[in-house]
Amino acid sequence: MRITDTADRWWKNAVLYCLDIETYLDHNNDGVGDLAGLARRIDYLAELGVTCLWLMPFYPTPDRDDGYDITDFYGVDGRLGDHGRVVEVIRMAHDRGLRVIADLVINHTSDQHPWFKSARRSKNSPYRDYYVWRSDTPPDTSDEVVFPDKEDSIWAYDDRTGEYYLHHFYSHQPDLNWGNQVVREELLRVMDFWLQLGLDGFRVDAVPFVFEDVDTASKNPSVPADPHDLLKEFRGFLNRRRGDAILLGEVNVPHADQRRYFGGDAGDELTMMFDFITMQNTYLSLARQDARPLAKALQTRPAIHPTCQWATFLRNHDELTLDKLTDAQRQEVFDAFGPDPDVQIYDRGLTLRLPTMLGNDPRRLKMAYSLLFSLPGTPTIYYGEEIGLGEDTSQDGRMAVRVPMQWTDGKNGGFSDVAPGRLIQPTVEGPLDARHVNVADQRRDRDSLWHFMATLISRYRSCPELGWGEFEVIEQPLTNVLVHSCALPETAVYAIHNFAAEGCELELDLGRDFADTVLVDLFSDGRIPLDGRGHATLPLDAYDHRWLRLQRGEPLLP
Ligand code: BGC
């Protein structure tokens, strides 16, 4: 790795921070968070140390899917601000060295989008082919819907023109027809537009569904035979416009299939992808207090092009999906972290944030975040994770985790000054309410989760091994402990995590190549000498976590 690589390929060791503007900070006091509010928190984000903001959809929307139902890809939702405010946020972030990406929802529009309104008016509409239609009665597709509580088919009948349109998500979100070159060109212009306004890339929503649409539409001979051509076209265009812009894909498919979405050996499709498989197995390991499922998931990650990167995460804005675990494994996670059927959703996930799942045990929470930041890849956090923000399970389904940020212990947690009844979403109540969990208190308290997270972020940023290095699981006899290393030619970081509620003693055996070397503890400044056989005994507390840098000779980094 050359120093220029670290600067150019910033996504290889970035820290991503996802936020929804409407629940972050309400500046104009109308009960809805806004861009002006976010602008006032850019210094906060820089202080926390995150390096890239992922803005959830801020486009005009009827808001029936929390903004993922868009009526104008070029617009800004008037409740949140305007283009001037978007540019202000981007410019302020850039001033502080932060990058900004935003959601690019390419699978569908809202049914209130002018394209769809026109398309359903007549079969001769110039926009008819922007969507996918069929005239025959569709087969039973109830097992293909994404939201089984609300939909029972991926086809909806449109009485006006007597045909069915495709929608993998809600029926108010008709899928775009990617077989139509005009749609492809339109979406390239959308990317172009936001790149010109300063965005550094996109989180590409629901990518595998786009592929299925291409498949479905491929009865049409103009459709490309290989949907991966679509991603190559997007990536090629993106990097012609901006060499260092990224596409971060939401691709929840088995590991083996993910390699293709990165563009295989060429690495010319998605720059980054969320690692849903590792995330799900992390929960299985946490539930079992057994590191092996996670170790196995990491070991079966496919090799990817060196310029591509995995995005690791523990929680996002949707349900905590456990869909890739077996039924029995999922049940183990439910039993451990969400036994109440009210917090289970779609038979595959949980509507809780991490603190509630982990019984609000600070040792376990810190261990989970230490683990996240030590895994090979680029860690992504969802706003509020830095303070242990809770949830509001009285809200419908996935809305439970989309609660207002808690800045102070004051009115509405400092999110907004309106009467509580006017808030876009009620604030959290109970043991994790703003009196107990808020940014202001935690920034004053050196032992808080906030300070722990800020330290983790700073250590992660000074460990290029984690983003760039060669990953290996270090064999040792304890099943409750994960020891892994990320190594560059000159340096390596060893991370040790105890998943168990009891302490233990780890016999770390790195072999004779490591005889008489020293492991430097990156959190406590302690030093662990390895003996002439490259061996050391390490006592570990319950849920302990250590990051150790191998030091040969002179220290490499402070
Ligand atoms: C987003 C969801 C959204 C869906 C439809 C996703 O996968 O993460 O929040 O509902 O796409 O746009």
Side-chain angles (χ1 to χ4, degrees):
M1 184 186 56
R2 296 174 308 262
I3 196 75
T4 45
D5 290 337
T6 354
D8 290 354
R9 303 202 169 118
W10 57 269
W11 57 91
K12 291 286 287 185
N13 64 336
V15 177
L16 302 179
Y17 185 97
C18 168
L19 67 92
D20 193 352
I21 294 159
E22 67 179 18
T23 49
Y24 208 56
L25 181 65
D26 174 17
H27 178 62
N28 65 355
N29 284 316
D30 61 355
V32 183
D34 42 47
L35 285 151
L38 172 57
R40 278 160 182 78
R41 288 295 180 263
I42 299 291
D43 282 319
Y44 163 80
L45 292 159
E47 183 189 348
L48 179 61
V50 301
T51 68
C52 178
L53 308 183
W54 152 23
L55 305 182
M56 288 172 63
F58 52 75
Y59 316 103
T61 173
D63 218 8
R64 297 179 68 191
D65 182 16
D66 205 25
Y68 283 89
D69 47 328
I70 296 170
T71 54
D72 177 4
F73 289 124
Y74 297 99
V76 177
D77 182 341
R79 296 169 313 150
L80 310 185
D82 55 24
H83 288 96
R85 290 292 189 186
V86 173
V87 170
E88 182 178 54
V89 162
I90 296 173
R91 199 253 320 141
M92 288 179 72
H94 285 175
D95 276 355
R96 288 146 183 86
L98 272 75
R99 290 181 166 83
V100 185
I101 65 171
D103 258 289
L104 184 69
V105 182
I106 61 175
N107 180 67
H108 48 261
T109 65
S110 157
D111 63 357
Q112 299 306 304
H113 195 294
W115 298 342
F116 191 69
K117 284 187 173 173
S118 167
R120 76 190 325 187
R121 226 170 272 136
S122 138
K123 286 187 190 167
N124 298 323
S125 158
Y127 294 100
R128 186 76 176 176
D129 274 349
Y130 273 43
Y131 299 91
V132 184
W133 301 89
R134 68 186 294 158
S135 48
D136 57 333
T137 309
D140 177 7
T141 52
S142 51
D143 57 344
E144 291 179 57
V145 300
V146 180
F147 303 125
D149 60 332
K150 299 279 190 311
E151 305 291 343
D152 57 12
S153 170
I154 60 169
W155 294 97
Y157 187 68
D158 180 50
D159 343 288
R160 282 180 249 190
T161 51
E163 286 191 329
Y164 298 84
Y165 61 86
L166 182 66
H167 64 87
H168 275 96
F169 294 89
Y170 298 113
S171 57
H172 59 77
Q173 289 168 319
D175 285 11
L176 284 163
N177 174 12
W178 287 96
N180 183 343
Q181 185 61 26
V182 180
V183 171
R184 296 158 82 127
E185 285 168 12
E186 184 77 46
L187 263 288
L188 293 182
R189 278 194 295 279
V190 170
M191 281 174 34
D192 202 5
F193 177 80
W194 291 109
L195 289 172
Q196 289 299 324
L197 286 192
L199 282 188
D200 299 286
F202 302 93
R203 179 260 187 189
V204 193
D205 189 52
V207 180
F209 296 97
V210 176
F211 278 41
E212 285 182 29
D213 296 351
V214 173
D215 219 35
T216 314
S218 62
K219 288 155 209 128
N220 173 345
S222 68
V223 169
D226 185 351
H228 287 273
D229 289 347
L230 180 67
L231 286 184
K232 290 188 200 302
E233 189 179 339
F234 268 50
R235 175 72 184 277
F237 177 85
L238 177 89
N239 288 151
R240 277 200 306 284
R241 289 289 186 275
R242 274 278 308 277
D244 66 346
I246 61 159
L247 294 178
L248 162 60
E250 183 200 22
V251 186
N252 179 9
V253 300
H255 262 159
D257 300 333
Q258 276 186 293
R259 199 179 125 78
R260 286 241 27 223
Y261 289 83
F262 279 119
D265 288 341
D268 58 357
E269 296 184 24
L270 294 170
T271 332
M272 299 181 75
M273 246 182 271
F274 290 108
D275 189 345
F276 280 88
I277 303 300
T278 295
M279 180 279 284
Q280 298 188 32
N281 280 283
T282 303
Y283 281 96
L284 185 58
S285 276
L286 289 167
R288 286 186 183 166
Q289 307 198 10
D290 179 343
R292 287 173 296 180
L294 172 58
K296 189 165 161 217
L298 290 164
Q299 285 167 319
T300 53
R301 261 183 179 178
I304 57 174
H305 191 275
T307 63
C308 294
Q309 181 61 301
W310 298 100
T312 51
F313 67 108
L314 288 174
R315 202 60 186 91
N316 66 13
H317 62 286
D318 287 323
E319 78 280 10
L320 167 70
T321 184
L322 301 164
D323 65 336
K324 297 291 184 290
L325 300 181
T326 65
D327 291 350
Q329 292 169 337
R330 184 178 317 112
Q331 193 56 48
E332 285 181 69
V333 180
F334 282 178
D335 291 346
F337 300 135
D340 177 355
D342 288 349
V343 302
Q344 298 167 7
I345 186 169
Y346 313 138
D347 290 330
R348 63 171 186 253
L350 293 172
T351 59
L352 302 173
R353 281 180 176 246
L354 196 61
T356 308
M357 286 190 267
L358 300 188
N360 221 3
D361 180 338
R363 297 167 309 167
R364 215 175 180 190
L365 268 175
K366 288 178 182 175
M367 178 282 210
Y369 285 115
S370 162
L371 180 67
L372 171 67
F373 277 78
S374 74
L375 295 180
T378 290
T380 308
I381 53 175
Y382 180 43
Y383 76 94
E385 287 199 85
E386 70 272 32
I387 52 169
L389 188 63
E391 62 283 300
D392 173 4
T393 50
S394 70
Q395 298 298 311
D396 187 31
R398 295 176 298 156
M399 294 309 288
V401 298
R402 302 170 181 179
V403 290
M405 181 63 171
Q406 293 172 186
W407 297 105
T408 68
D409 63 1
K411 182 177 177 187
N412 300 322
F415 161 70
S416 171
D417 206 26
V418 293
R422 287 182 56 215
L423 292 176
I424 171 128
Q425 168 120 352
T427 48
V428 170
E429 288 181 1
L432 300 181
D433 70 11
R435 279 173 306 144
H436 299 97
V437 175
N438 68 71
V439 170
D441 287 351
Q442 293 200 21
R443 275 174 74 219
R444 281 193 290 269
D445 172 5
R446 303 293 310 175
D447 292 327
S448 66
L449 184 60
W450 191 91
H451 272 280
F452 178 78
M453 293 290 265
T455 307
L456 262 185
I457 291 171
S458 130
R459 291 296 178 282
Y460 173 82
R461 293 285 294 157
S462 64
C463 291
E465 298 94 331
L466 300 173
W468 291 84
E470 198 72 39
F471 166 76
E472 194 188 341
V473 173
I474 307 296
E475 295 302 328
Q476 47 76 37
L478 300 173
T479 54
N480 54 303
V481 174
L482 178 71
V483 183
H484 72 272
S485 68
C486 293
L488 290 170
E490 297 297 319
T491 169
V493 169
Y494 289 80
I496 298 172
H497 290 89
N498 179 9
F499 286 69
E502 295 86 39
C504 55
E505 206 150 84
L506 171 70
E507 301 297 336
L508 187 63
D509 236 319
L510 299 185
R512 289 194 185 280
D513 285 355
F514 297 87
D516 303 321
T517 52
V518 171
L519 295 170
V520 179
D521 192 312
L522 296 178
F523 288 101
S524 74
D525 295 335
R527 293 162 63 81
I528 299 160
L530 297 176
D531 68 15
R533 293 176 294 125
H535 174 273
T537 303
L538 267 77
L540 298 178
D541 290 337
Y543 305 125
D544 215 345
H545 53 89
R546 304 272 180 89
W547 292 21
L548 308 172
R549 175 175 273 128
L550 181 74
Q551 185 182 309
R552 295 180 194 265
E554 287 304 300
L556 283 164
L557 287 169

